[in-house]
Amino acid sequence: MEQLYWKGIAKLIEECGELQQVAGKALLYPNIPHPDGKGPVSIRFIEELADVQAAIEYFIMYNNLPLDIIERRKIMKVQRFVEWTEKGWMG
């Protein structure tokens, strides 16, 4: 595979950081307004998930990454997470 240009990597990193930030707030304060005044923390968490998903899709698309490899890996990881959940290893 050729060297990647990494177009969109800064945005992906930024969005992941924002998700981490609101996830912490969602664990502590799930039913209160977000401190920035833009709605409940639970809704902000969902919105940040969508932002990260968009950043990932943009990164994949603009860097022409192999979707077959990504999809195979994603399916394998979801299956593993389900197994771990059934064993009580995931919270």
Coordinates of all heavy atoms in Angstrom, one line a residue:
M1 N 0.9 -1.2 0.0 CA 0.0 0.0 0.0 C 0.9 1.2 0.0 O 1.9 1.3 0.7 CB -0.9 0.0 1.2 CG -1.9 1.1 1.2 SD -3.5 0.8 2.1 CE -2.9 0.7 3.8
E2 N 0.6 2.2 -0.8 CA 1.4 3.4 -0.9 C 1.2 4.3 0.3 O 0.3 4.1 1.1 CB 1.0 4.2 -2.2 CG -0.4 4.9 -2.1 CD -1.5 4.1 -2.6 OE1 -1.3 2.9 -3.0 OE2 -2.6 4.5 -2.5
Q3 N 2.2 5.2 0.5 CA 2.2 6.2 1.6 C 0.9 7.0 1.6 O 0.5 7.5 0.6 CB 3.4 7.1 1.5 CG 3.5 8.1 2.6 CD 3.7 7.5 4.0 OE1 4.3 6.5 4.1 NE2 3.1 8.2 5.0
L4 N 0.2 7.1 2.8 CA -1.0 7.9 2.9 C -0.7 9.4 3.0 O 0.3 9.7 3.6 CB -1.8 7.4 4.1 CG -2.3 6.0 4.1 CD1 -3.0 5.7 5.4 CD2 -3.2 5.7 2.9
Y5 N -1.5 10.2 2.5 CA -1.4 11.6 2.6 C -2.0 12.1 4.0 O -1.6 13.1 4.5 CB -2.2 12.3 1.5 CG -2.2 13.8 1.6 CD1 -1.1 14.6 1.6 CD2 -3.5 14.4 1.7 CE1 -1.1 15.9 1.7 CE2 -3.5 15.8 1.9 CZ -2.3 16.6 1.8 OH -2.4 17.9 2.0
W6 N -2.9 11.3 4.6 CA -3.5 11.6 5.9 C -4.4 12.8 5.8 O -4.6 13.5 6.8 CB -2.4 11.8 6.9 CG -1.5 10.6 7.1 CD1 -0.2 10.5 6.8 CD2 -1.9 9.3 7.7 NE1 0.3 9.3 7.2 CE2 -0.7 8.5 7.7 CE3 -3.1 8.8 8.1 CZ2 -0.7 7.2 8.1 CZ3 -3.1 7.5 8.6 CH2 -1.9 6.7 8.5
K7 N -5.0 13.0 4.7 CA -6.0 14.1 4.6 C -7.1 13.9 5.6 O -7.7 12.8 5.6 CB -6.6 14.2 3.2 CG -7.5 15.4 3.0 CD -7.8 15.6 1.6 CE -8.7 16.8 1.3 NZ -8.0 18.1 1.5
G8 N -7.4 14.8 6.5 CA -8.5 14.7 7.5 C -8.0 14.1 8.8 O -8.9 14.0 9.7
I9 N -6.8 13.8 9.0 CA -6.4 13.2 10.3 C -6.5 14.1 11.4 O -6.9 13.7 12.5 CB -4.9 12.6 10.2 CG1 -4.6 11.7 11.4 CG2 -3.9 13.7 10.0 CD1 -5.3 10.4 11.4
A10 N -6.3 15.4 11.2 CA -6.4 16.4 12.3 C -7.9 16.4 12.8 O -8.1 16.5 14.0 CB -5.9 17.7 11.9
K11 N -8.8 16.4 11.8 CA -10.2 16.5 12.2 C -10.6 15.2 12.9 O -11.4 15.3 13.9 CB -11.1 16.7 10.9 CG -12.5 17.1 11.2 CD -12.6 18.2 12.2 CE -13.7 19.1 12.1 NZ -13.8 20.0 13.2
L12 N -10.2 14.1 12.4 CA -10.5 12.8 13.1 C -10.0 12.8 14.5 O -10.7 12.4 15.5 CB -9.9 11.7 12.3 CG -10.1 10.3 12.9 CD1 -11.5 9.9 13.1 CD2 -9.4 9.2 12.0
I13 N -8.8 13.3 14.8 CA -8.2 13.3 16.1 C -9.1 14.3 17.0 O -9.4 14.0 18.1 CB -6.8 13.8 16.1 CG1 -5.9 12.7 15.4 CG2 -6.2 14.1 17.5 CD1 -4.5 13.1 15.1
E14 N -9.4 15.4 16.4 CA -10.2 16.4 17.2 C -11.5 15.9 17.5 O -12.0 16.0 18.7 CB -10.4 17.7 16.3 CG -11.3 18.7 16.9 CD -11.6 19.8 16.0 OE1 -11.0 20.0 14.9 OE2 -12.5 20.6 16.3
E15 N -12.2 15.2 16.6 CA -13.5 14.7 16.9 C -13.5 13.5 17.9 O -14.4 13.4 18.8 CB -14.2 14.2 15.6 CG -14.5 15.3 14.6 CD -15.6 16.3 15.1 OE1 -16.2 16.0 16.1 OE2 -15.8 17.3 14.4
C16 N -12.4 12.7 17.9 CA -12.3 11.7 18.9 C -12.1 12.3 20.3 O -12.7 11.7 21.2 CB -11.1 10.8 18.5 SG -11.4 9.6 17.1
G17 N -11.3 13.3 20.3 CA -11.2 14.0 21.6 C -12.5 14.6 22.1 O -12.7 14.5 23.3
E18 N -13.3 15.2 21.3 CA -14.6 15.7 21.7 C -15.5 14.6 22.2 O -16.2 14.8 23.2 CB -15.2 16.5 20.5 CG -14.5 17.8 20.2 CD -15.0 18.5 19.0 OE1 -16.1 18.1 18.5 OE2 -14.4 19.5 18.6
L19 N -15.4 13.4 21.5 CA -16.2 12.3 22.0 C -15.8 11.8 23.3 O -16.6 11.6 24.2 CB -16.1 11.1 21.0 CG -16.9 9.9 21.4 CD1 -18.4 10.1 21.5 CD2 -16.6 8.8 20.4
Q20 N -14.5 11.8 23.6 CA -14.0 11.4 24.9 C -14.4 12.3 26.0 O -14.9 11.9 27.0 CB -12.5 11.3 24.9 CG -11.9 10.2 24.1 CD -10.4 10.2 24.1 OE1 -9.8 11.2 23.8 NE2 -9.8 9.1 24.4
Q21 N -14.4 13.6 25.6 CA -14.8 14.6 26.6 C -16.3 14.5 27.0 O -16.6 14.5 28.2 CB -14.5 16.0 26.0 CG -14.5 17.1 27.0 CD -14.0 18.4 26.3 OE1 -14.5 18.8 25.3 NE2 -13.1 19.1 27.0
V22 N -17.1 14.4 26.0 CA -18.6 14.3 26.3 C -18.9 12.9 26.9 O -19.9 12.8 27.7 CB -19.4 14.6 25.1 CG1 -19.5 13.5 24.1 CG2 -20.8 15.1 25.5
A23 N -18.2 11.9 26.6 CA -18.4 10.5 27.1 C -18.2 10.6 28.6 O -18.9 10.0 29.4 CB -17.5 9.5 26.5
G24 N -17.1 11.3 29.1 CA -16.9 11.4 30.5 C -18.0 12.1 31.2 O -18.4 11.7 32.3
K25 N -18.5 13.2 30.6 CA -19.6 13.9 31.1 C -20.9 13.0 31.2 O -21.7 13.0 32.1 CB -19.9 15.2 30.4 CG -18.9 16.3 30.6 CD -19.2 17.5 29.8 CE -18.2 18.6 30.1 NZ -16.9 18.4 29.8
A26 N -21.1 12.2 30.1 CA -22.3 11.3 30.0 C -22.2 10.3 31.2 O -23.3 9.9 31.7 CB -22.4 10.6 28.7
L27 N -21.1 9.8 31.5 CA -21.0 8.9 32.6 C -21.3 9.5 33.9 O -21.9 8.9 34.8 CB -19.5 8.3 32.7 CG -19.2 7.3 31.6 CD1 -17.7 6.9 31.7 CD2 -20.1 6.0 31.7
L28 N -20.8 10.7 34.1 CA -21.1 11.4 35.4 C -22.4 12.1 35.5 O -23.0 12.1 36.6 CB -20.0 12.5 35.6 CG -18.6 11.9 35.8 CD1 -17.6 13.1 35.8 CD2 -18.5 11.2 37.1
Y29 N -22.9 12.7 34.4 CA -24.1 13.5 34.4 C -25.0 13.1 33.3 O -25.3 14.0 32.4 CB -23.7 15.0 34.4 CG -22.6 15.4 35.2 CD1 -21.4 15.8 34.6 CD2 -22.7 15.4 36.6 CE1 -20.3 16.1 35.4 CE2 -21.6 15.8 37.4 CZ -20.4 16.1 36.8 OH -19.4 16.5 37.6
P30 N -25.6 12.0 33.2 CA -26.3 11.5 32.0 C -27.6 12.3 31.7 O -28.1 12.4 30.6 CB -26.6 10.1 32.3 CG -26.6 9.9 33.7 CD -25.5 10.9 34.2
N31 N -28.2 12.9 32.8 CA -29.5 13.5 32.6 C -29.6 15.0 32.8 O -30.6 15.6 33.1 CB -30.6 12.8 33.5 CG -30.7 11.4 33.2 OD1 -30.8 11.0 32.0 ND2 -30.6 10.5 34.2
I32 N -28.4 15.7 32.7 CA -28.4 17.1 32.9 C -28.0 17.8 31.6 O -27.4 17.2 30.7 CB -27.4 17.5 34.0 CG1 -26.0 17.2 33.7 CG2 -27.8 16.8 35.3 CD1 -25.0 17.9 34.6
P33 N -28.2 19.1 31.5 CA -27.7 19.8 30.3 C -26.2 19.8 30.2 O -25.5 19.9 31.3 CB -28.3 21.2 30.5 CG -29.4 21.1 31.5 CD -29.0 19.9 32.4
H34 N -25.7 19.8 29.0 CA -24.3 20.0 28.8 C -23.9 21.4 29.3 O -24.6 22.3 29.1 CB -23.9 19.8 27.3 CG -22.5 19.6 27.1 ND1 -21.7 20.7 27.0 CD2 -21.7 18.6 26.8 CE1 -20.4 20.3 26.8 NE2 -20.4 19.0 26.7
P35 N -22.7 21.5 29.9 CA -22.3 22.9 30.3 C -22.3 23.9 29.2 O -22.4 25.1 29.6 CB -20.9 22.6 30.9 CG -20.8 21.2 31.2 CD -21.8 20.5 30.3
D36 N -22.1 23.6 28.0 CA -22.1 24.6 26.9 C -23.5 25.1 26.6 O -23.7 25.9 25.7 CB -21.4 24.1 25.7 CG -22.1 23.0 24.9 OD1 -23.3 22.6 25.3 OD2 -21.5 22.4 24.0
G37 N -24.6 24.5 27.2 CA -25.9 25.0 27.0 C -26.6 24.5 25.7 O -27.7 25.0 25.4
K38 N -26.0 23.5 25.0 CA -26.5 23.0 23.8 C -27.3 21.7 23.9 O -27.3 20.9 23.0 CB -25.4 22.9 22.7 CG -24.8 24.2 22.4 CD -23.7 24.1 21.3 CE -23.1 25.4 21.0 NZ -21.9 25.2 20.1
G39 N -27.9 21.5 25.0 CA -28.7 20.3 25.2 C -28.2 19.3 26.2 O -27.2 19.5 26.8
P40 N -29.0 18.2 26.4 CA -28.6 17.2 27.4 C -27.3 16.5 27.0 O -27.0 16.3 25.8 CB -29.8 16.2 27.4 CG -30.9 16.9 26.7 CD -30.3 17.9 25.8
V41 N -26.6 16.1 28.0 CA -25.3 15.4 27.8 C -25.6 14.1 27.0 O -24.8 13.8 26.1 CB -24.6 15.0 29.1 CG1 -23.4 14.2 28.9 CG2 -24.2 16.3 29.8
S42 N -26.7 13.4 27.2 CA -26.9 12.1 26.5 C -27.1 12.4 25.0 O -26.6 11.6 24.2 CB -28.2 11.4 27.1 OG -29.3 12.3 27.0
I43 N -27.7 13.5 24.6 CA -27.9 13.8 23.2 C -26.6 14.3 22.6 O -26.2 13.9 21.5 CB -29.0 14.9 23.0 CG1 -30.4 14.4 23.5 CG2 -29.1 15.4 21.6 CD1 -30.9 13.2 22.8
R44 N -25.8 15.0 23.4 CA -24.5 15.5 22.9 C -23.6 14.3 22.6 O -22.8 14.3 21.7 CB -23.9 16.4 23.9 CG -24.6 17.8 24.0 CD -24.6 18.6 22.7 NE -23.2 18.8 22.3 CZ -22.4 19.7 22.8 NH1 -22.8 20.5 23.7 NH2 -21.2 19.9 22.3
F45 N -23.7 13.3 23.5 CA -22.9 12.1 23.3 C -23.2 11.4 22.0 O -22.3 11.1 21.2 CB -23.1 11.1 24.5 CG -22.4 9.8 24.3 CD1 -21.0 9.8 24.5 CD2 -23.0 8.6 24.0 CE1 -20.3 8.6 24.4 CE2 -22.4 7.4 23.9 CZ -21.0 7.4 24.1
I46 N -24.5 11.3 21.7 CA -24.9 10.7 20.4 C -24.5 11.5 19.2 O -24.0 11.0 18.2 CB -26.5 10.5 20.4 CG1 -26.9 9.5 21.4 CG2 -27.0 10.1 19.0 CD1 -28.4 9.4 21.8
E47 N -24.6 12.8 19.3 CA -24.1 13.7 18.3 C -22.6 13.6 18.0 O -22.1 13.6 16.9 CB -24.5 15.2 18.6 CG -26.0 15.4 18.5 CD -26.4 16.8 19.0 OE1 -25.6 17.5 19.7 OE2 -27.5 17.2 18.8
E48 N -21.8 13.5 19.1 CA -20.4 13.3 19.0 C -20.0 12.0 18.4 O -19.1 11.9 17.6 CB -19.7 13.5 20.3 CG -19.7 15.0 20.8 CD -19.0 16.0 19.9 OE1 -18.2 15.6 19.1 OE2 -19.4 17.2 20.0
L49 N -20.8 10.9 18.7 CA -20.6 9.7 18.0 C -20.7 9.8 16.5 O -20.0 9.3 15.7 CB -21.6 8.6 18.5 CG -21.3 7.9 19.8 CD1 -22.5 7.0 20.2 CD2 -20.0 7.1 19.7
A50 N -21.8 10.5 16.1 CA -22.0 10.8 14.7 C -20.9 11.6 14.0 O -20.5 11.3 12.9 CB -23.4 11.5 14.5
D51 N -20.4 12.6 14.8 CA -19.3 13.4 14.3 C -18.0 12.5 14.1 O -17.3 12.7 13.0 CB -18.9 14.5 15.2 CG -20.0 15.6 15.3 OD1 -21.0 15.5 14.5 OD2 -19.9 16.5 16.1
V52 N -17.7 11.6 15.0 CA -16.6 10.7 14.8 C -16.8 9.8 13.6 O -15.9 9.6 12.8 CB -16.3 9.9 16.1 CG1 -15.3 8.8 15.9 CG2 -15.8 10.9 17.2
Q53 N -18.0 9.3 13.5 CA -18.3 8.4 12.4 C -18.1 9.1 11.1 O -17.5 8.6 10.1 CB -19.7 7.8 12.5 CG -20.0 6.7 11.5 CD -21.3 6.1 11.7 OE1 -22.2 6.6 12.4 NE2 -21.5 4.9 11.2
A54 N -18.6 10.4 11.0 CA -18.4 11.2 9.8 C -16.9 11.4 9.5 O -16.4 11.3 8.4 CB -19.1 12.5 9.9
A55 N -16.1 11.7 10.5 CA -14.7 12.0 10.4 C -14.0 10.7 9.9 O -13.1 10.8 9.0 CB -14.1 12.5 11.7
I56 N -14.4 9.6 10.4 CA -13.8 8.3 10.0 C -14.1 8.0 8.5 O -13.2 7.7 7.7 CB -14.3 7.1 10.9 CG1 -13.7 7.2 12.2 CG2 -13.9 5.8 10.2 CD1 -14.3 6.3 13.3
E57 N -15.4 8.2 8.1 CA -15.8 7.9 6.7 C -15.1 8.9 5.8 O -14.6 8.5 4.7 CB -17.3 8.0 6.6 CG -18.0 6.8 7.3 CD -19.5 6.9 7.1 OE1 -20.0 7.5 6.2 OE2 -20.1 6.2 8.0
Y58 N -14.9 10.2 6.2 CA -14.2 11.1 5.4 C -12.8 10.7 5.2 O -12.2 10.7 4.1 CB -14.3 12.5 6.0 CG -13.4 13.6 5.4 CD1 -14.0 14.3 4.3 CD2 -12.2 13.8 5.8 CE1 -13.2 15.3 3.7 CE2 -11.4 14.8 5.2 CZ -11.9 15.5 4.1 OH -11.1 16.4 3.5
F59 N -12.1 10.3 6.3 CA -10.7 9.9 6.3 C -10.5 8.7 5.4 O -9.6 8.7 4.5 CB -10.3 9.6 7.7 CG -8.8 9.3 7.8 CD1 -7.9 10.3 7.8 CD2 -8.4 8.0 7.9 CE1 -6.5 10.1 7.9 CE2 -7.0 7.7 8.0 CZ -6.1 8.8 7.9
I60 N -11.4 7.7 5.5 CA -11.3 6.5 4.6 C -11.5 6.9 3.2 O -10.7 6.5 2.3 CB -12.4 5.5 5.0 CG1 -12.0 4.9 6.4 CG2 -12.5 4.4 4.0 CD1 -13.2 4.1 7.0
M61 N -12.5 7.7 2.9 CA -12.8 8.1 1.5 C -11.7 8.9 0.9 O -11.2 8.6 -0.2 CB -14.1 8.9 1.5 CG -14.5 9.3 0.1 SD -16.2 10.2 0.1 CE -15.9 11.5 1.2
Y62 N -11.2 10.0 1.5 CA -10.2 10.9 0.9 C -8.8 10.3 0.9 O -8.0 10.8 0.2 CB -10.3 12.3 1.6 CG -11.4 13.1 0.9 CD1 -12.7 13.1 1.4 CD2 -11.1 13.8 -0.2 CE1 -13.7 13.8 0.7 CE2 -12.1 14.5 -0.9 CZ -13.4 14.5 -0.4 OH -14.3 15.2 -1.0
N63 N -8.6 9.3 1.7 CA -7.3 8.6 1.7 C -7.3 7.3 0.9 O -6.3 6.6 0.9 CB -6.7 8.4 3.1 CG -6.3 9.8 3.7 OD1 -5.3 10.4 3.3 ND2 -7.2 10.3 4.6
N64 N -8.5 7.1 0.3 CA -8.6 5.9 -0.6 C -8.2 4.6 0.1 O -7.4 3.8 -0.5 CB -7.9 6.1 -1.9 CG -8.4 5.2 -3.0 OD1 -9.5 4.8 -3.0 ND2 -7.5 4.8 -3.9
L65 N -8.7 4.4 1.3 CA -8.3 3.2 2.1 C -9.1 2.0 1.6 O -10.3 2.2 1.2 CB -8.5 3.5 3.6 CG -7.7 4.6 4.1 CD1 -7.9 4.8 5.6 CD2 -6.2 4.4 3.9
P66 N -8.6 0.8 1.8 CA -9.3 -0.4 1.3 C -10.5 -0.7 2.2 O -10.3 -1.2 3.3 CB -8.2 -1.4 1.3 CG -7.2 -0.9 2.3 CD -7.3 0.6 2.3
L67 N -11.7 -0.5 1.6 CA -12.9 -0.8 2.4 C -13.0 -2.3 2.7 O -13.6 -2.6 3.8 CB -14.1 -0.3 1.6 CG -14.2 1.2 1.4 CD1 -15.4 1.5 0.5 CD2 -14.4 1.8 2.8
D68 N -12.6 -3.2 1.9 CA -12.7 -4.6 2.2 C -11.9 -5.0 3.5 O -12.4 -5.7 4.3 CB -12.3 -5.5 1.0 CG -10.8 -5.2 0.6 OD1 -10.3 -4.1 0.8 OD2 -10.2 -6.2 0.1
I69 N -10.7 -4.5 3.6 CA -9.9 -4.7 4.8 C -10.6 -4.1 6.1 O -10.7 -4.7 7.1 CB -8.5 -4.2 4.7 CG1 -7.8 -5.0 3.6 CG2 -7.7 -4.3 6.0 CD1 -6.4 -4.4 3.2
I70 N -11.1 -2.9 5.9 CA -11.7 -2.2 7.0 C -13.0 -2.9 7.4 O -13.2 -3.1 8.6 CB -12.0 -0.7 6.6 CG1 -10.7 0.1 6.5 CG2 -12.9 0.0 7.6 CD1 -10.8 1.4 5.8
E71 N -13.8 -3.3 6.5 CA -15.1 -4.0 6.8 C -14.8 -5.3 7.5 O -15.5 -5.7 8.5 CB -15.9 -4.2 5.5 CG -17.3 -4.7 5.8 CD -18.2 -3.7 6.6 OE1 -17.9 -2.5 6.6 OE2 -19.1 -4.2 7.2
R72 N -13.9 -6.1 7.0 CA -13.5 -7.4 7.6 C -13.1 -7.2 9.1 O -13.5 -7.9 10.0 CB -12.4 -8.1 6.8 CG -12.9 -9.0 5.7 CD -11.9 -10.0 5.2 NE -10.6 -9.4 4.9 CZ -10.3 -8.8 3.7 NH1 -11.1 -8.8 2.7 NH2 -9.1 -8.3 3.5
R73 N -12.2 -6.2 9.3 CA -11.7 -6.0 10.6 C -12.9 -5.5 11.5 O -12.9 -5.9 12.7 CB -10.6 -4.9 10.6 CG -10.1 -4.5 11.9 CD -9.3 -5.6 12.5 NE -8.7 -5.1 13.8 CZ -7.7 -5.6 14.4 NH1 -7.1 -6.7 13.9 NH2 -7.2 -5.1 15.5
K74 N -13.7 -4.6 11.0 CA -14.8 -4.1 11.8 C -15.8 -5.2 12.2 O -16.1 -5.3 13.4 CB -15.6 -3.1 11.0 CG -16.8 -2.5 11.8 CD -17.5 -1.4 10.9 CE -18.3 -2.0 9.8 NZ -19.1 -1.0 9.1
I75 N -16.1 -6.1 11.3 CA -17.0 -7.3 11.6 C -16.3 -8.1 12.7 O -17.0 -8.6 13.7 CB -17.3 -8.1 10.4 CG1 -18.2 -7.2 9.5 CG2 -17.9 -9.4 10.7 CD1 -18.4 -7.8 8.1
M76 N -15.1 -8.4 12.6 CA -14.3 -9.3 13.5 C -14.4 -8.6 14.9 O -14.6 -9.3 15.9 CB -12.9 -9.5 13.1 CG -12.1 -10.4 14.0 SD -11.2 -9.6 15.3 CE -10.2 -8.4 14.5
K77 N -14.1 -7.3 15.0 CA -14.1 -6.6 16.2 C -15.5 -6.6 16.9 O -15.6 -6.8 18.1 CB -13.6 -5.1 16.1 CG -12.2 -5.0 16.1 CD -11.6 -5.4 17.5 CE -10.4 -4.6 17.8 NZ -9.6 -5.1 18.9
V78 N -16.5 -6.3 16.1 CA -17.9 -6.3 16.7 C -18.2 -7.7 17.3 O -18.7 -7.8 18.4 CB -18.9 -5.9 15.7 CG1 -20.3 -6.2 16.2 CG2 -18.8 -4.4 15.3
Q79 N -17.8 -8.8 16.6 CA -18.1 -10.1 17.1 C -17.3 -10.4 18.4 O -17.8 -11.0 19.3 CB -17.7 -11.2 16.0 CG -18.6 -11.2 14.8 CD -18.1 -12.1 13.7 OE1 -16.9 -12.4 13.6 NE2 -18.9 -12.4 12.8
R80 N -16.1 -9.9 18.4 CA -15.3 -10.0 19.7 C -15.9 -9.3 20.8 O -16.0 -9.8 21.9 CB -13.9 -9.6 19.4 CG -13.0 -9.8 20.6 CD -11.5 -9.5 20.4 NE -11.1 -10.5 19.4 CZ -10.0 -10.4 18.7 NH1 -9.3 -9.2 18.7 NH2 -9.6 -11.3 17.8
F81 N -16.4 -8.0 20.5 CA -17.0 -7.3 21.6 C -18.3 -7.9 22.1 O -18.6 -7.9 23.3 CB -17.4 -5.8 21.1 CG -16.2 -5.0 20.8 CD1 -16.3 -3.9 19.9 CD2 -14.9 -5.3 21.3 CE1 -15.2 -3.1 19.6 CE2 -13.8 -4.5 21.0 CZ -13.9 -3.4 20.1
V82 N -19.1 -8.6 21.2 CA -20.3 -9.3 21.6 C -19.9 -10.5 22.5 O -20.5 -10.7 23.6 CB -21.1 -9.8 20.4 CG1 -22.1 -10.8 20.8 CG2 -21.7 -8.6 19.7
E83 N -18.8 -11.2 22.1 CA -18.4 -12.3 22.9 C -17.9 -11.8 24.3 O -18.3 -12.4 25.3 CB -17.2 -13.0 22.2 CG -17.6 -13.8 21.0 CD -16.4 -14.3 20.2 OE1 -15.2 -14.2 20.8 OE2 -16.5 -14.7 19.1
W84 N -17.2 -10.7 24.4 CA -16.7 -10.2 25.6 C -17.9 -9.7 26.5 O -17.9 -9.9 27.7 CB -15.8 -9.0 25.4 CG -14.4 -9.4 24.8 CD1 -13.9 -10.7 24.7 CD2 -13.4 -8.6 24.4 NE1 -12.7 -10.7 24.1 CE2 -12.3 -9.4 23.9 CE3 -13.3 -7.2 24.3 CZ2 -11.2 -8.8 23.4 CZ3 -12.2 -6.6 23.8 CH2 -11.1 -7.4 23.3
T85 N -18.9 -9.2 25.8 CA -20.1 -8.7 26.6 C -20.8 -9.9 27.2 O -21.2 -9.9 28.4 CB -21.0 -7.9 25.6 OG1 -20.3 -6.8 25.2 CG2 -22.3 -7.5 26.4
E86 N -21.0 -11.0 26.4 CA -21.6 -12.2 26.9 C -20.9 -12.8 28.0 O -21.5 -13.5 28.9 CB -21.8 -13.2 25.7 CG -22.9 -12.7 24.7 CD -22.9 -13.5 23.5 OE1 -22.1 -14.4 23.3 OE2 -23.8 -13.2 22.6
K87 N -19.6 -12.6 28.1 CA -18.8 -13.2 29.2 C -18.7 -12.2 30.4 O -18.1 -12.5 31.4 CB -17.3 -13.5 28.7 CG -17.3 -14.6 27.7 CD -15.9 -14.9 27.2 CE -15.9 -16.0 26.2 NZ -14.5 -16.3 25.7
G88 N -19.3 -11.0 30.2 CA -19.3 -10.1 31.3 C -18.0 -9.2 31.4 O -17.7 -8.6 32.4
W89 N -17.2 -9.2 30.3 CA -15.9 -8.6 30.3 C -16.0 -7.1 29.8 O -15.0 -6.4 29.9 CB -14.9 -9.3 29.4 CG -14.6 -10.7 29.8 CD1 -14.9 -11.2 31.0 CD2 -13.8 -11.7 29.1 NE1 -14.4 -12.5 31.1 CE2 -13.8 -12.8 29.9 CE3 -13.3 -11.7 27.9 CZ2 -13.1 -14.0 29.5 CZ3 -12.6 -12.8 27.5 CH2 -12.5 -14.0 28.3
M90 N -17.2 -6.7 29.3 CA -17.3 -5.3 28.8 C -18.4 -4.6 29.6 O -19.4 -5.2 29.8 CB -17.7 -5.3 27.3 CG -16.7 -5.9 26.4 SD -15.9 -4.9 25.1 CE -17.0 -3.7 24.6
G91 N -18.1 -3.4 30.0 CA -19.0 -2.7 30.8 C -19.8 -1.7 29.9 O -19.6 -1.6 28.8

